[in-house]
Amino acid sequence: MRTHFCGLVDEALLGQSVTLCGWTDVARNLGGVCFIDLRDHEGVVQVVVEPDQAALFEVAASLGYEDVLRVVGTVRARHSINDRIRSGRVEIVASEIEILNKAGKLPFYGHENPGEDSRLKYRHLDLRRPEMQRMMRTRIKLVQALRRHLDSAGFQDIETPILTKATPEGARDYLVPSRVHGGQFFALPQSPQLFKQLLMMAGFDRYYQIARCFRDEDLRADRQPEFTQLDMEFAFVRERDVQDFVEDMIRKVLREVDGIELEQPFPRITYAEAMRRYGSDKPDLRIDLELIDIAEAVRGCEFKVFAEWAEHADGRVVALRAPQAQLSRKQIDDYAAFVTRYGAKGLAWMRVDDLARGREGINSPIAKFLSDEAIAAILKLANAENGDLLFFGAGTYKTVSDFMGALRLKLGRDLGRVANAWKPLWVTDFPMFEWDEEGGRYVALHHPFTAPAVDDIADLRANAKIAVSRGYDMVLNGNEIGGGSIRIHRTDMQAAVFELLGIEAEEAQLKFGFLLEALNHGAPPHGGIAFGIDRIAALIAGTESIRDVIAFPKTASAQCLLTSAPSPIPAAQLKELSVKVDLPQG
Ligand code: ASP
């Protein structure tokens, strides 16, 4: 049907006859001549219809956006050169134009920004846009490069079930009713976690899968209910074996896909240090601001909030220095309002006008509650300079870290302190458990199959509160792009961890009996990691939204606007599934 792709026609074809197919990007009738920009997946080429071709001219003049054409013509050099595109030095003089399909009224045209809802509803049109084609191809290249890398390193690509049993990764399950077993349900996998572990027990040694995962989470701006992971597992490994392999993989693949150079080796910090310095377990190291603990400087001061939290066993008082920040009172108030969203009760501040003048040289609503020594100590700890603004946070360790960490990111962006760079790192030594106030029990910070750093069960039981796990995350520019761990490979340890998580022996048997048994059948030490393909593709493609690198994404409220899913199903079908719908009133 065609001889060449539109976007690839160039000077090498001068004088030749070509047959092209594509969409009418624009058609311009300039009275004398008619120009058609013909577009396919490779790009655009200019087609010219000269006035002496009366019949052709009529066809060309009738064209509308997105009409589908087949054009036969000769390649010739072009007068007005466009060096931004490959075909920019040539044009096609048409001898034949066939309208393969005329487009009807369109909800939007290629060059408009139609708004997210329209884009998702008419995704086929949205994806036709060159920018979307570029972003989707970035994803395709990424997955290809990962596969190549892993295939050549001897990893086995194995599919795991989609209709399965719940695997706890901390979200709700999507459930599928079984027709044959009325009243019973499959869960869609939150991850292939248990299957990949079983594959290690089955002797496959190294596994990977580009795996779809499903998590029914509460609405968050950039989450998708289904997303894609590069899921990996290795037998007979310790942390560094996994980390070194995947660090090398990510470095090579990002170089190959987009010429991105990542430092070697990645910096490594512990979870505790990440929280202390950045108030986050996925610090964005492109921003050079750090949290500074000042409890020692404000202990016993008259500012009650500081004094109290400086003494508290689980308290934290920190300063964040905004270098040379000329902020108005209104802007400061806006930051105070911003941090309340992250649990802050207030945000104290201090402007540093003239260091040499001590108390006289600063401006702060809390200065009157601070001694000269305290002020001097704060300024020293914060390394303050004239023109700086210091923000302060006090409260529980977790709350302060959260809101000051969020403030660090916001200030970094607002003050233009985000370096134009790629900043990867490893975060290690995560806590094993988190105390869930509401449930009154421990929950696994990673997942319940993550090994603790200690081998001894009695030790783990005695020190559960401060136990460290063998989990690790890879972080890039403030995004957790991969997370994994060394797993528990002994039945007794797995049973003990279930017990610490408040999963009764009976429940553990019911839910994970198959795992406990398999661990007892000669399970090798093993570990792995999973990378978020959508997020990595978005980062490389330079877009904020993972929806831009997913062909058919869902909205933030977990709906597909294209197909109108989810949707009610007929009563007969429900009956067949032994399912009754019981919607809340109102
Ligand atoms: N299953 C984990 C997750 O999906 C990744 C891993 O531990 O390998 O986050």
Side-chain angles (χ1 to χ4, degrees):
M1 198 168 186
R2 61 184 164 187
T3 59
H4 295 84
F5 295 134
C6 302
L8 300 185
V9 178
D10 61 15
E11 283 171 305
L13 296 172
L14 279 175
Q16 291 190 29
S17 168
V18 293
T19 305
L20 308 173
C21 292
W23 287 266
T24 310
D25 207 42
V26 263
R28 297 180 302 275
N29 180 354
L30 302 183
V33 258
C34 198
F35 292 104
I36 306 160
D37 284 349
L38 191 66
R39 187 192 71 237
D40 66 10
H41 63 292
E42 292 289 359
V44 173
V45 69
Q46 174 165 293
V47 176
V48 197
V49 183
E50 315 242 270
D52 54 345
Q53 303 253 35
L56 263 193
F57 198 86
E58 204 174 306
V59 177
S62 76
L63 293 175
Y65 288 114
E66 302 303 314
D67 286 344
V68 187
L69 309 182
R70 180 167 171 273
V71 173
V72 183
T74 311
V75 182
R76 79 169 178 208
R78 174 172 160 174
H79 291 299
S80 55
I81 286 170
N82 174 359
D83 269 332
R84 281 180 320 227
I85 56 174
R86 171 149 169 193
S87 69
R89 290 176 168 261
V90 297
E91 60 191 7
I92 314 295
V93 186
S95 56
E96 215 183 301
I97 297 179
E98 186 186 346
I99 301 183
L100 298 173
N101 199 357
K102 208 152 169 50
K105 189 170 161 20
L106 299 171
F108 57 84
Y109 300 117
H111 299 278
E112 289 172 7
N113 185 351
E116 180 95 37
D117 279 5
S118 282
R119 289 180 51 198
L120 294 180
K121 184 156 173 12
Y122 304 100
R123 193 62 166 174
H124 51 289
L125 285 181
D126 187 38
L127 287 170
R128 254 186 229 167
R129 298 190 300 137
E131 179 59 0
M132 290 303 289
Q133 293 268 325
R134 178 189 71 79
M135 292 195 281
M136 283 306 298
R137 281 175 185 222
T138 302
R139 179 199 182 101
I140 294 163
K141 263 174 90 176
L142 168 69
V143 173
Q144 281 172 343
L146 287 167
R147 281 192 186 284
R148 255 198 313 275
H149 194 87
L150 291 166
D151 292 340
S152 65
F155 279 72
Q156 322 282 329
D157 175 1
I158 305 176
E159 288 175 90
T160 53
I162 293 293
L163 293 178
T164 178
K165 210 167 160 168
T167 294
E169 295 273 2
R172 283 193 199 91
D173 291 315
Y174 276 99
L175 298 175
V176 180
S178 160
R179 179 183 57 83
V180 207
H181 304 281
Q184 300 189 33
F185 295 80
F186 293 105
L188 303 184
Q190 291 190 35
S191 85
Q193 184 61 34
L194 293 177
F195 291 108
K196 67 174 170 174
Q197 290 190 230
L198 288 164
L199 288 170
M200 295 304 101
M201 299 173 214
F204 285 97
D205 203 75
R206 274 171 296 166
Y207 139 97
Y208 85 93
Q209 183 181 189
I210 305 289
R212 197 70 64 83
C213 303
F214 306 84
R215 296 186 192 174
D216 185 3
E217 288 179 291
D218 287 330
L219 315 182
R220 266 205 253 160
D222 209 24
R223 284 284 175 95
Q224 285 285 310
E226 55 180 300
F227 59 93
T228 307
Q229 282 188 350
L230 164 61
D231 196 47
M232 303 172 66
E233 198 73 8
F234 310 59
F236 301 108
V237 282
R238 301 196 184 94
E239 289 82 334
R240 280 310 281 251
D241 300 313
V242 177
Q243 292 165 358
D244 290 348
F245 180 89
V246 299
E247 180 178 323
D248 180 61
M249 170 184 80
I250 291 290
R251 185 179 296 106
K252 289 194 174 130
V253 163
L254 264 56
R255 183 182 297 143
E256 185 180 328
V257 175
D258 203 41
I260 295 166
E261 290 297 332
L262 300 176
E263 65 199 274
Q264 188 172 3
F266 293 180
R268 316 172 63 84
I269 67 174
T270 63
Y271 170 88
E273 186 182 353
M275 293 311 274
R276 183 168 58 73
R277 292 170 61 188
Y278 308 107
S280 167
D281 60 1
K282 46 179 165 68
D284 189 341
L285 298 187
R286 292 173 305 168
I287 299 171
D288 61 353
L289 310 176
E290 290 196 20
L291 308 186
I292 304 141
D293 281 277
I294 58 159
E296 58 178 280
V298 297
R299 207 159 268 144
C301 76
E302 277 171 40
F303 191 51
K304 282 277 159 325
V305 187
F306 280 11
E308 213 172 281
W309 289 110
E311 288 303 332
H312 196 285
D314 188 33
R316 187 168 195 199
V317 188
V318 299
L320 178 64
R321 168 175 168 248
Q324 305 302 309
Q326 306 294 335
L327 300 181
S328 65
R329 278 305 291 270
K330 160 95 178 59
Q331 284 170 310
I332 295 176
D333 290 346
D334 287 347
Y335 285 118
F338 169 79
V339 292
T340 56
R341 282 196 254 148
Y342 296 86
K345 297 242 161 48
L347 184 68
W349 55 271
M350 179 182 288
R351 220 179 57 214
V352 186
D353 296 325
D354 186 357
L355 272 178
R357 292 173 59 216
R359 170 185 298 281
E360 302 307 312
I362 62 162
N363 182 339
S364 167
I366 59 165
K368 54 180 177 288
F369 304 115
L370 299 172
S371 66
D372 290 353
E373 293 74 43
I375 291 173
I378 291 171
L379 293 173
K380 178 142 184 274
L381 281 170
N383 261 325
E385 289 177 13
N386 293 345
D388 290 350
L389 190 79
L390 305 182
F391 285 106
F392 303 103
T396 63
Y397 199 91
K398 172 142 189 1
T399 310
V400 171
S401 304
D402 282 353
F403 77 77
M404 292 303 274
L407 181 64
R408 170 182 176 272
L409 291 181
K410 182 156 175 58
L411 270 177
R413 288 190 197 117
D414 294 354
L415 300 176
R417 300 189 76 92
V418 185
N420 184 12
W422 293 95
K423 290 286 187 189
L425 76 149
W426 283 108
V427 181
T428 63
D429 298 81
F430 281 83
M432 184 77 187
F433 306 112
E434 231 175 0
W435 184 252
D436 171 28
E437 282 299 339
E438 244 168 68
R441 61 183 184 97
Y442 285 120
V443 291
L445 199 88
H446 191 45
H447 53 53
F449 318 107
T450 298
V454 292
D455 266 342
D456 183 55
I457 294 176
D459 187 349
L460 179 69
R461 281 210 181 95
N463 300 299
K465 200 169 177 266
I466 53 162
V468 167
S469 82
R470 298 179 71 185
Y472 34 80
D473 281 356
M474 187 188 284
V475 176
L476 181 59
N477 290 0
N479 300 278
E480 181 207 320
I481 59 167
S485 61
I486 298 300
R487 328 295 185 188
I488 297 167
H489 69 280
R490 275 178 14 219
T491 311
D492 56 350
M493 178 60 89
Q494 187 64 74
V497 168
F498 283 150
E499 192 193 310
L500 279 161
L501 291 169
I503 306 175
E504 304 283 337
E506 203 179 320
E507 190 190 350
Q509 264 312 323
L510 210 65
K511 283 187 175 158
F512 306 114
F514 66 98
L515 173 72
L516 292 169
E517 224 182 332
L519 289 174
N520 207 24
H521 294 162
H526 59 288
I529 191 162
F531 288 94
I533 294 291
D534 309 304
R535 176 53 60 201
I536 300 175
L539 281 168
I540 304 177
T543 174
E544 291 274 307
S545 169
I546 59 171
R547 292 193 286 276
D548 286 340
V549 291
I550 299 174
F552 300 104
K554 302 204 168 38
T555 60
S557 56
Q559 282 173 306
C560 173
L561 297 182
L562 180 75
T563 61
S564 306
S567 53
I569 57 169
Q573 209 177 347
L574 282 175
K575 195 164 167 37
E576 203 173 36
L577 293 168
S578 323
V579 169
K580 266 208 180 104
V581 174
D582 180 16
L583 288 174
Q585 298 296 317

